Amino acid sequence: DSGVTQTPKHLITATGQRVTLRCSPRSGDLSVYWYQQSLDQGLQFLIQYYNGEERAKGNILERFSAQQFPDLHSELNLSSLELGDSALYFCASSPPGLAEDTGELFFGEGSRLTVL
Amino acid sequence: GQSLEQPSEVTAVEGAIVQINCTYQTSGFYGLSWYQQHDGGAPTFLSYNALDGLEETGRFSSFLSRSDSYGYLLLQELQMKDSASYFCAVRMNYGGATNKLIFGTGTLLAVQP
């Protein structure tokens, strides 16, 4: 158990709908990262937050948005869902400096989104 | 942009040694990490190389050559539980003091008895 909590674990929804994925980082971690993993694919970097502020963006679609709240939990909002958005969405966290020093992130178990 | 290349699949037998290679093209390179993922579960950190050379952690070792933009993960005394996907990931500069971690597409290792 990495200490990173993601909810929900599984989510099934229809095209055109909107969902929110939630992530609680490990205690003391200020950085939160979101990654998308489609079937048999690598981890695509979406976005990174540090202490409530957006720090880095990857290949995040305009239909997707995220934020990190004052209590450091983060939410990833996916809207106008398409079949191709079906994937595992991982959240990861790291304490100040660790990712920069070692490249180590602590991943949650992921939220599996199925769009029908 | 950036790119990372790793073999898609590797097969080896229990007790053997296997090497998973990773080549990368990126600007603002800081270091190379390796992660293990079992059956779509949470990826877990294995190792990190910022400098050239070999880093050893138990049965796993990782190597980096910055001049060749190349690294590898070496797994010794393979066990069945090592069957998993292995990802290399580049830590690269995003801008200012910020960096980001970009993952390769992963190598599926199958360990056979």
Side-chain angles (χ1 to χ4, degrees), chain A residues 58-78:
Chain A
N59 300 322
I60 187 167
L61 300 172
E62 287 191 10
R63 300 184 286 109
F64 296 0
S65 64
Q67 55 183 324
Q68 186 180 28
F69 294 87
D71 68 352
L72 301 178
H73 91 272
S74 179
E75 292 180 358
L76 179 66
N77 301 294
L78 316 175

Side-chain angles (χ1 to χ4, degrees), chain A residues 35 37 42-43 48 55-57 88 90 99-105 107-109, chain B residues 33 35 37 40-43 45 48 87 91 94 98-105:
Chain A
Y35 287 86
Q37 186 175 36
L43 292 147
Q48 173 189 346
R55 273 291 180 93
K57 254 185 173 178
L88 262 171
F90 285 104
E100 287 74 19
D101 291 339
T102 71
E104 180 173 6
L105 304 184
F107 281 82
E109 294 295 326
Chain B
S33 299
Y35 283 77
Q37 184 184 34
F45 174 80
Y48 177 71
F87 294 88
R91 187 167 74 82
Y94 179 78
T98 300
N99 61 86
K100 58 182 181 180
L101 200 63
I102 304 300
F103 284 77
T105 53

Side-chain angles (χ1 to χ4, degrees), chain A residues 24-69:
Chain A
S24 294
R26 299 184 327 150
S27 176
D29 287 1
L30 301 183
S31 292
V32 168
Y33 310 75
W34 286 97
Y35 287 86
Q36 178 194 52
Q37 186 175 36
S38 301
L39 190 63
D40 296 330
Q41 295 293 310
L43 292 147
Q44 297 292 320
F45 172 67
L46 296 179
I47 199 163
Q48 173 189 346
Y49 283 86
Y50 179 85
N51 203 21
E53 293 189 5
E54 182 184 305
R55 273 291 180 93
K57 254 185 173 178
N59 300 322
I60 187 167
L61 300 172
E62 287 191 10
R63 300 184 286 109
F64 296 0
S65 64
Q67 55 183 324
Q68 186 180 28
F69 294 87

